[in-house]
Amino acid sequence: EAGVTQFPSHSVIEKGQTVTLRCDPISGHDNLYWYRRVMGKEIKFLLHFVKESKQDESGMPNNRFLAERTGGTYSTLKVQPAELEDSGVYFCASSQLTSGSSDGELFFGEGSRLTVL
Amino acid sequence: LAKTTQPISMDSYEGQEVNITCSHNNIATNDYITWYQQFPSQGPRFIIQGYKTKVTNEVASLFIPADRKSSTLSLPRVSLSDTAVYYCLPSGGYNKLIFGAGTRLAVHP
């Protein structure tokens, strides 16, 4: 079974440009999460989808970031316009849990590395 | 959300048992303790999860005392491929994970 896949694996853009990251969760996983690690910092939660609905977007840094999950399958994270401080690795994860239970695991993708010059 | 404290780094040798302890003094009643492993250029990978007492799977054991204020991940007979960063994470509700700095384990020949 395919795991969580992310595209692109690495993107290099200039400040002010737009980048869209894509995440394909494991088939059947209703929960989809975005996390990111900026250089030298810890992995930080960005947001959580349950199917196509945003369950929690408390970690989104500002309105330059837009996440969508139309149809409840894959998700995109758009950064527009990108700033230097957006550089980092963006991880996507998915899980089967559909309730508030903690008894389960998240499956992470390998991440999309974003470099803003 | 519960704050965790774990050693920044640890060193070990192949074949040894490694125990990584994490403190989480203000863990919530409904939080589980989950440990993830991360290799360079990869996403975190689930290792083990428990609520209290002892849990064992094919790769590790997890010990959680009755007060649940700490937990210990035990890796039996480590190999070079176990060199990674290990994260201790209380997970409560929808698995919103709060990552700390983790413990960087280096296994030497």
Side-chain angles (χ1 to χ4, degrees):
Chain A
E1 181 183 353
V4 176
T5 57
Q6 295 187 241
F7 181 84
S9 57
H10 192 185
S11 180
V12 181
I13 61 173
E14 294 188 350
K15 176 183 172 181
Q17 290 186 321
T18 298
V19 64
T20 300
L21 310 178
R22 173 171 169 144
C23 169
D24 285 80
I26 293 174
S27 178
H29 281 191
D30 288 337
N31 295 280
L32 187 149
Y33 307 79
W34 284 98
Y35 287 80
R36 77 169 178 178
R37 165 184 271 150
V38 296
M39 184 68 71
K41 299 293 182 67
E42 296 159 2
I43 299 172
K44 296 289 189 185
F45 168 85
L46 295 179
L47 88 160
H48 168 213
F49 285 99
V50 177
K51 297 184 181 180
E52 67 275 10
S53 299
K54 292 176 184 175
Q55 176 71 26
D56 181 352
E57 52 184 329
S58 60
M60 294 289 266
N62 52 60
N63 59 10
R64 294 186 294 103
F65 289 75
L66 175 64
E68 295 180 320
R69 193 184 182 195
T70 306
T73 54
Y74 71 91
S75 174
T76 58
L77 180 64
K78 179 190 289 188
V79 185
Q80 178 182 30
E83 298 290 343
L84 299 179
E85 64 265 24
D86 301 331
S87 295
V89 182
Y90 291 76
F91 293 104
C92 176
S94 71
S95 76
Q96 290 181 307
L97 297 176
T98 56
S99 70
S101 169
S102 299
D103 189 14
E105 63 178 284
L106 263 62
F107 296 84
F108 283 81
E110 297 202 342
S112 291
R113 180 175 296 277
L114 173 63
T115 301
V116 183
L117 303 176
Chain B
L1 292 167
K3 176 177 167 56
T4 61
T5 302
Q6 26 178 151
I8 294 295
S9 64
M10 294 181 68
D11 289 274
S12 184
Y13 292 90
E14 286 189 289
Q16 290 188 332
E17 178 184 78
V18 171
N19 296 306
I20 306 175
T21 296
C22 175
S23 66
H24 27 79
N25 291 319
N26 59 339
I27 188 170
T29 302
N30 61 348
D31 277 353
Y32 283 69
I33 302 299
T34 311
W35 284 78
Y36 281 78
Q37 173 192 56
Q38 186 178 26
F39 298 112
S41 301
Q42 294 188 23
R45 185 175 71 101
F46 174 91
I47 301 176
I48 197 167
Q49 183 182 72
Y51 186 78
K52 60 181 175 182
T53 66
K54 178 182 176 180
V55 179
T56 297
N57 62 21
E58 63 276 8
V59 297
S61 293
L62 178 60
F63 301 90
I64 304 172
D67 65 8
R68 305 201 331 118
K69 293 183 183 299
S70 67
S71 59
T72 299
L73 174 73
S74 180
L75 305 173
R77 298 179 298 283
V78 294
S79 63
L80 296 177
S81 63
D82 292 316
T83 294
V85 179
Y86 292 82
Y87 297 97
C88 158
L89 302 157
S91 56
Y94 284 107
N95 266 339
K96 176 181 176 178
L97 303 177
I98 307 298
F99 286 85
T103 297
R104 190 172 298 275
L105 172 65
V107 180
H108 306 280

